[in-house]
Amino acid sequence: MEASVNTGRVRIKSSLYSHWVDRPIRPISLRQLFFFGRTLTESRLLSSANYVRMELPTRIAHRLREMQRLPYVVVTNPHLSTVYELYYKAFETFRRTPVIRTVKENEDFCKVISENLREHLAVIPNLVMGVLECQDLVPPDAMDKFVQAMLRARISRRVIAEQHLALTDTFNSPWHVEQPSAEDEFVGEVLLRCNAKDIIERVGKFTQDICKSLAGPDAIVPEIKIQGHVNATFPYVLSHLEYITGELLRNSIQAVMAKYNNPRQPPPPIEVLICEAPQQVVIRISDQGGGVPREIAPFLWSFNKGPRSAERLQKFRDVPTLAATMQEVRQPAGNKPSGKHRDSSLSTLASRPPDLRLGMGLPMSRVYAEYWAGGLELHSLEGYGVDAFLQISKIGNQNEQLTSRASIDAV
């Protein structure tokens, strides 16, 4: 008998996508992304379109199967049901898309991709609210594995979709035939020479400004001091790096401002050390903000555990914009980070108001760091401060770290 699932609104049969689940996922690396798109021709653009056309339904099919394996009472949660329906709608859309043979057909396909990306901005808030509401129905560790697998797979789909949209924009621009020469050259969404110091300075200034805007004109924000290998560069998706460093700097700035609130006494600086090695770049962000409270420390990387889970759920419910977008609140144009910046699904994620603390910045940041074969660790000395270590693969030759078939089956 065919397996099926009923979310309350949608009932589908596994036979509709079983062969898509059996298809192997074709992972990519940053190096592949920028070498493929660096010399862009019509043939390469259409090849990219057809890769996306086949890869998206394959990856979505794995997520549908994983959601089907949740206990019935969990998958019928209205928030998780919404996620399921969005995924199934996207799966049906992409699996029915015919082979793309012309530039005009690619333009039509890009409109479909853009609409899908817009609709799926509702996935993260609904996923987290559903998980928080169902935290007593599934073992916490199993639920965390489920959320991490869902988020990592979501990143993978948005990367290949947004990369293709960016390549299409480049192809349609009048200068795409020119040889790129700028030091900060983009190939699609990939910035070939991310300079850690420049990005931290830009994101740090932006984060300082929005923290000060909440605390008031008399508040003193801590200085950010950067040292080490300040010329270190590496290929990376800029929006990912800005999100991770933005979350880490936001946490440090807010902790230091909370501990040192005497306007006549400057707070200690946040110290950033950049260390470059042949295979990796490590960024250490150190603060003297008092460290992580003991009752919170065991749950730093969890999406659903911890003493503040009920408070987090209420915050998600209280912010209406989360129903439509994980980008929370768009800041005025003048408050956005300066410098060359492509709009993407993360372009305003870190620009939410400082008082909107959803408790998912660190676990989300780790998922993003590990996606490109990096890592994120945090060492807290209670009563003193925190050292956060962000490890980045320097060469860009590591494939995206997707959840393996065995890991999916184990959830």
Side-chain angles (χ1 to χ4, degrees):
M1 181 178 294
E2 292 179 338
S4 62
V5 63
N6 188 348
T7 67
R9 301 177 190 173
V10 174
R11 180 180 180 86
I12 66 173
K13 295 183 178 180
S14 295
S15 60
L16 291 176
Y17 60 88
S18 60
H19 73 283
W20 289 95
V21 175
D22 292 336
R23 289 177 55 87
I25 291 175
R26 297 161 58 194
I28 53 176
S29 68
L30 284 167
R31 182 182 289 266
Q32 287 174 310
L33 287 178
F34 65 71
F35 273 116
F36 181 86
R38 196 162 193 175
T39 305
L40 193 57
T41 63
E42 180 177 327
S43 175
R44 285 194 169 196
L45 182 68
L46 298 180
S47 176
S48 172
N50 283 298
Y51 168 78
V52 174
R53 178 182 65 87
M54 296 297 291
E55 198 69 11
L56 287 180
T58 300
R59 298 187 184 200
I60 294 171
H62 285 272
R63 304 281 69 76
L64 287 171
R65 184 182 69 169
E66 189 170 343
M67 293 192 73
Q68 286 186 339
R69 290 181 169 179
L70 292 171
Y72 180 79
V73 68
V74 174
V75 78
T76 54
N77 173 275
H79 300 297
L80 294 179
S81 175
T82 296
V83 175
Y84 187 92
E85 290 179 18
L86 286 169
Y87 279 20
Y88 181 65
K89 178 184 176 182
F91 171 75
E92 283 292 291
T93 297
F94 289 116
R95 81 174 182 89
R96 296 174 185 272
T97 301
V99 176
I100 299 162
R101 304 182 188 277
T102 67
V103 173
K104 175 60 171 64
E105 290 176 354
N106 176 64
E107 291 176 357
D108 294 338
F109 181 54
C110 286
K111 293 177 183 177
V112 174
I113 294 176
S114 297
E115 176 63 18
N116 178 261
L117 291 176
R118 186 193 63 77
E119 289 183 350
H120 280 232
L121 289 173
V123 165
I124 291 180
N126 276 286
L127 177 65
V128 175
M129 284 190 289
V131 165
L132 289 172
E133 289 180 351
C134 297
Q135 59 184 321
D136 296 330
L137 304 175
V138 178
D141 290 341
M143 188 60 88
D144 264 337
K145 289 179 181 179
F146 166 75
V147 176
Q148 290 166 7
M150 293 288 286
L151 290 175
R152 188 169 299 194
R154 182 180 184 273
I155 294 169
S156 77
R157 296 191 305 275
R158 298 192 79 90
V159 163
I160 62 175
E162 290 178 340
Q163 177 71 1
H164 180 66
L165 292 178
L167 291 180
T168 299
D169 287 343
T170 300
F171 183 82
N172 290 332
S173 68
W175 56 83
H176 86 272
V177 294
E178 299 177 5
Q179 283 291 83
S181 59
E183 284 298 309
D184 59 346
E185 170 201 346
F186 276 95
V187 175
E189 290 293 306
V190 182
L191 181 57
L192 299 190
R193 297 177 184 85
C194 276
N195 179 275
K197 175 179 178 291
D198 290 347
I199 293 168
I200 291 168
E201 284 181 339
R202 185 171 69 248
V203 173
K205 176 64 167 60
F206 177 63
T207 306
Q208 287 171 320
D209 288 346
I210 60 176
C211 288
K212 185 177 179 65
S213 69
L214 178 73
D218 295 331
I220 301 178
V221 296
E223 180 186 0
I224 299 174
K225 291 185 175 182
I226 306 173
Q227 57 183 333
H229 298 123
V230 294
N231 295 319
T233 62
F234 44 86
Y236 216 76
V237 176
L238 181 58
S239 59
H240 291 187
L241 186 59
E242 288 184 334
Y243 174 70
I244 299 169
T245 55
E247 288 296 330
L248 296 177
L249 290 171
R250 178 194 298 270
N251 287 343
S252 291
I253 290 172
Q254 289 181 310
V256 170
M257 291 180 70
K259 184 177 181 182
Y260 300 91
N261 53 15
N262 184 346
R264 293 187 295 272
Q265 181 179 356
I270 294 166
E271 298 182 348
V272 179
L273 178 63
I274 302 170
C275 301
E276 183 180 21
Q279 300 292 324
Q280 65 179 11
V281 172
V282 177
I283 301 172
R284 185 187 73 187
I285 299 177
S286 305
D287 68 59
Q288 299 178 41
V292 179
R294 184 173 303 178
E295 69 273 13
I296 301 298
F299 310 106
L300 280 179
W301 308 109
S302 174
F303 287 94
N304 73 106
K305 295 181 290 185
R308 299 178 182 174
S309 57
E311 177 186 348
R312 291 165 57 194
L313 177 60
Q314 188 58 48
K315 285 183 177 180
F316 271 101
R317 289 171 172 165
D318 288 346
V319 182
T321 54
L322 285 177
T325 170
M326 187 51 203
Q327 276 63 53
E328 286 108 27
V329 178
R330 283 191 176 272
Q331 299 293 316
N335 291 341
K336 290 183 179 181
S338 60
K340 187 171 183 179
H341 193 285
R342 288 184 182 273
D343 191 25
S344 77
S345 64
L346 282 178
S347 61
T348 57
L349 179 57
S351 64
R352 67 181 184 273
D355 56 342
L356 181 57
R357 310 192 72 167
L358 301 174
M360 60 183 297
L362 280 177
M364 274 288 292
S365 294
R366 175 177 272 184
V367 171
Y368 274 98
E370 292 179 347
Y371 178 74
W372 291 119
L376 178 61
E377 298 294 337
L378 190 145
H379 301 280
S380 172
L381 185 60
E382 189 177 14
Y384 183 79
V386 167
D387 282 350
F389 294 85
L390 172 61
Q391 176 190 333
I392 296 167
S393 177
K394 179 183 173 184
I395 303 176
N397 62 346
Q398 298 292 315
N399 281 342
E400 51 182 337
Q401 302 298 296
L402 300 170
T403 303
S404 67
R405 185 68 174 269
S407 297
I408 294 176
D409 291 343
V411 174

